[in-house]
Amino acid sequence: MANNSYSGVKNSVAEPNHDGEFGCSLKELRSLMELRGAEGLHKIQESYGDVNGLCNRLKTSPVDGLSGQPADIEKRKVAFGQNFIPPKKPKTFLQLVWEALQDVTLIILEVAAIVSLGLSFYKPPDSENRNCGKAAGGVEDEGEAEAGWIEGAAILLSVVCVVLVTAFNDWSKEKQFRGLQSRIEQEQKFTVVRGGQVIPIPVAEIVVGDIAQIKYGDLLPADGVLIQGNDLKIDESSLTGESDHVKKSMEKDPLLLSGTHVMEGSGKMVVSAVGVNSQTGIIFTLLGAGEDDEDEEEKKKEKEKKKEKKTQDGAAMEMQPLNSDEGAEGEEKRKANLPKKEKSVLQGKLTKLAVQIGKAGLVMSAITVIILVVLFVVDTFWIQERPWEKECTPIYIQFFVKFFIIGVTVLVVAVPEGLPLAVTISLAYSVKKMMKDNNLVRHLDACETMGNATAICSDKTGTLTMNRMTVVQVFIADKHYKKVPEPDVIPASTMDLLILGISVNCAYTTKIMSPEKEGGLNRQVGNKTECALLGFTLDLKKDYQAIRSEIPEEKLYKVYTFNSVRKSMSTVLKNADGSFRMFSKGASEILLKKCYKILTVTGEAKVFRPRDRDDMVKRVIEPMASEGLRTICLAYRDFPASEGEPDWDNESDILTRLTCVCIVGIEDPVRPEVPDAIRKCQRAGITVRMVTGDNLNTARAIATKCGILQPGDDFLCLEGKEFNRRIRNEKGEIEQERIDKIWPKLRVLARSSPTDKHTLVKGIIDSTVLERRQVVAVTGDGTNDGPALKKADVGFAMGIAGTDVAKEASDIILTDDNFSSIVKAVMWGRNVYDSISKFLQFQLTVNVVAVIVAFTGACITQDSPLKAVQMLWVNLIMDTFASLALATEPPTESLLLRKPYGRNKPLISRTMMKNILGHAVYQLTIIFTLLFAGEKMFDIDNGRYAPLHAPPSEHYTIVFNTFVMMQLFNEINARKIHGERNVFEGIFNNLIFCTIVFGTFAIQIVIVQFGGKPFSCVGLSIEQWLWCIFLGFGCLLWGQIISSIPTSRLKFLKTAGHGTQKEEIPDEELEELEELDEIDHAERELRRGQILWFRGLNRIQTQIRVVNAFRSSLSPYEGLEKPESRTSIHNFMTHPEFRIEDSEPHIPLIDDTDAEDDPRSSRELSSQLLLLFIWMVVYICPFCPLLIQTMISASFGC
């Protein structure tokens, strides 16, 4: 396998031999890193002697690292490559244009426009023209007739505009995604040793030969060989698939691979391969080479398999017994295997709504075309009694194409293709702005999900507190000091043990550095609790750095690093006489249980009994904790040389019989802005819970300071152990019912492990106690927080204190680790939701009005008052421009004054429905008044019943102009969706909105005054313009009237745009959904239409066949096929015969006396014709099979 992975990419990477320069080549190092475990160790020993030999060959020092000289770094980049894996090429603008052209409605429009264009150049003989009926005559002059091509050309031009706008939006969206990705990558830094200095550098700057420091929580950025390690355990599952953590040591397995996670311990490694030559890089390169072709083939194969499965299932779909035993058995299993929750609530609701509106638009456009065609045919061939002349055929076809174009434009206006655009713009805009609010969004949908959040489970340290820790109290030498004591009051022997223990038993990457500004506070680098202890040594006028220089990290004999199970850290030193001394530090109540002695005022150790411990807890630990201090116990243990070397792997024996040195109380002050932020959350209907590793009293004190707990509240504060005891049954299994009794009142979970956090989050999400499903946000910084961050609806990782693993699992990174940034995320999330609702309110008003005007106008005047090109312009206003204007509204504090919407709250509320219908009534009244009485009001020529190539009329121009003016003013109305009266509030805070409104107005003036034939417009006078603007302004006045009507009175109004409920998904769909990661609502809606059709058709066929069989006195089951023979929908369509799958025959009861009423042949003919008609309709209308079935039932007496 190693050979394959190498040879697969060898052509893509330059491989000069650099033996002369560095003593080992790129090829050698790559082949070394492809080995595992003992093989790798053997290869190092054989080729280089040991790791130091490898470092010599790579011209680097294991202690001081590389020199850091730019020339040396550049040389290494040339020889061994850069630490950068080139991303997949983005789609070009032309590719995006091609994708935008795939839109079905646009293709239909293009075809219709081209046909219209072609026919407009056909000139029938003038003498014959008058024989083609009234509708074809009446052309003003030859010039106008010759201008017939303009409409077709204008439609094509409009299509080009729509395609370019769509492609540009997709292109800018992709650009933003890549910008976001590169921002995340730039944020990633890794600690290396250069010139003897420990410095963090960007991951891309790491080169072969660098000495990198690795610690708990790191995601390794390159391949390397371990040169010093403490208790190091690596999760290699991302490369090997093995879930067990792999122990790494210089004696057994020193090879470290890029892309793997450090789960425990710390150490140093020499970097041996970077970028495309690292193990992760090799895999990426292999994927990148054949990715596209292979992916396509895979997808095709999968689709074919699915099709086969669907067709086999399709035939069985109708007759499957609903309550069979098999169904009952499988039901539970299927529901249990439901795919993961929809990540984006809004996306689901929108897709569903868009499909429903699209279906309604399709029906309306089909009916419009049918009515136009029928009216034309009836008028021309029946009322005027014209024969179909051969010469007139092109003219008639031109009419039909015109009708078809009107129908398609109705569809274009009805289909809300601006919805996805609005979502994208709103999310992309929010993400950009959220960066300024210290929220780095990794997954777009997390931004919107945050608006629905009902619960936040927050860490304490660093999120609610400042994460600047200092030792403020100490119990040492039998005395409790309320502030740090003077060094001379502590016995010298105790002081030496204390300083040595703190210096060596804190990670060497943790240190206190001088302040950046003079007079400022010292900088804390690394783990903040350890920084507090190192600061404590400085307060005692001692220098920890001198001890570290004397005992470098390489001399530490054994290190047990801190993890969530141990809750402590221990370091073993070997003395000159062969004895060992171990220093430990950890949670006070845990470590005190392992102490059997304590140092006294004289520096001697005395026995420490359980009752002494209980006394210590009461006198020292609880008072410290009640003041919100974190208590840490420092202890040590000696292992005499006479007893020989202990078994270091037996931790339970090692970490016992300790001697307590002291107990410190560490203060981490609450961030000043947090109490206010938590108040805002509570007012916004969001419950904040604290989940911390600190003890219960400390957690309770901090929770009270933050405002999570109020005095006199009846809320629960539990420790991890008690929480687990309450939620588990006798067998130790977690029960949801037990969690449901706890979580609604739980506010603080102390001494919790990451598993407890995951259990709590999962329990809240899965709970059905409350009417609404909870949407949970979680903060985490540690490696083990990964599962909880992934499980949560939105995972927040800490940008400063967070490990790479936590960041990888999160949706949003808090760049300042501050809780108040989460509140800003909630505000932005709600703003996204509101922006989409504003856009919907505006667009649906235009939809309703435009479709009704086009439909009614077509039925009454045989032409649409709004021409195809005008409709496309309106479509552009309400789709692209409106989505830009309304989706970029900045958030306001008022968003936090209401409760979360919830996952199932409809997108279109009753208030919005009132606004949509109310404004539609006003606009329709104005439009129809202008349409049927406008010529009298303005004393102009009537524009109705215009012939085919008639010039544009003032009448219809006023109708069009007024319509657009009403949309512009209604766009201002749409800024408020909760019934607010002041629609202008904050309008100038949104420059994009103002620019678009004024820009659209300016373009409208140009279109009307200079658009001419292409836009079917005539220039209007100042007076006519003022009337149009006045009628448009009426929308604002009408909006005030609508606001005055209380929504509570309008009970008949329905809401729309609900999310899909789990129980709404039919069982047969659950099976297929199992394979998916997320539910695709569009797919589901369309599939539901198919299923409905096949069910309806099956029932129709069944009834016809049964009726025929009974009437011809045949056995209804004669010559029936077995279901297996129906292998495809094609067969099913070509042999529409009755079939039965039920085990028992169900004989329909019908009246036999009707059997001889009609001749059999006519009955069969009518049946066949009926089926033929149905199969034709199936391709036109996605509805109504059950309606047809009902009609047949009635006609046959079933």
Side-chain angles (χ1 to χ4, degrees), residues 1123-1140:
E1124 292 84 67
S1125 63
R1126 302 287 188 182
T1127 51
S1128 72
I1129 295 293
H1130 176 71
N1131 289 347
F1132 177 70
M1133 287 165 65
T1134 47
H1135 308 289
E1137 294 167 38
F1138 169 54
R1139 57 194 176 71
I1140 282 186

Side-chain angles (χ1 to χ4, degrees), residues 398-417:
Q398 227 166 330
F399 268 105
F400 293 145
V401 169
K402 179 185 166 188
F403 299 150
F404 184 64
I405 287 174
I406 291 168
V408 174
T409 41
V410 169
L411 179 62
V412 169
V413 173
V415 171
E417 63 268 32

Side-chain angles (χ1 to χ4, degrees), residues 84-98:
F84 172 73
I85 297 168
K88 209 175 170 185
K89 277 186 182 175
K91 285 178 180 168
T92 62
F93 185 73
L94 284 175
Q95 282 174 311
L96 293 168
V97 166
W98 177 247

Side-chain angles (χ1 to χ4, degrees), residues 1147-1165:
I1147 301 173
L1149 297 172
I1150 53 173
D1151 191 351
D1152 288 335
T1153 55
D1154 295 338
E1156 289 163 23
D1157 285 355
D1158 297 313
R1160 184 179 161 191
S1161 57
S1162 65
R1163 278 199 307 271
E1164 282 182 352
L1165 182 63

Side-chain angles (χ1 to χ4, degrees), residues 561-576:
T561 51
F562 180 90
N563 65 28
S564 56
V565 179
R566 288 188 190 121
K567 295 266 190 212
S568 66
M569 174 180 175
S570 304
T571 301
V572 181
L573 297 177
K574 188 172 185 179
N575 301 323

Side-chain angles (χ1 to χ4, degrees), residues 834 837-846 848-849 907-924 966-967 969-981 983 1035-1047 1050 1052-1054:
D834 274 14
S837 295
K838 288 170 189 174
F839 173 67
L840 264 177
Q841 178 174 307
F842 172 70
Q843 182 168 41
L844 292 181
T845 310
V846 189
V848 169
V849 176
L907 268 176
I908 302 167
S909 63
R910 272 212 176 87
T911 307
M912 285 170 65
M913 195 62 88
K914 175 185 78 175
N915 294 342
I916 291 166
L917 297 178
H919 285 292
V921 166
Y922 171 80
Q923 292 187 19
L924 287 170
M966 288 194 290
Q967 303 325 317
F969 283 103
N970 193 34
E971 200 162 338
I972 298 170
N973 271 327
R975 291 184 67 247
K976 303 294 174 188
I977 53 170
H978 299 296
E980 300 95 328
R981 282 196 175 278
V983 291
C1035 275
L1036 292 176
L1037 303 175
W1038 184 253
Q1040 294 302 310
I1041 296 169
I1042 292 172
S1043 298
S1044 307
I1045 304 167
T1047 313
L1050 307 173
F1052 60 89
L1053 287 179
K1054 296 277 186 244

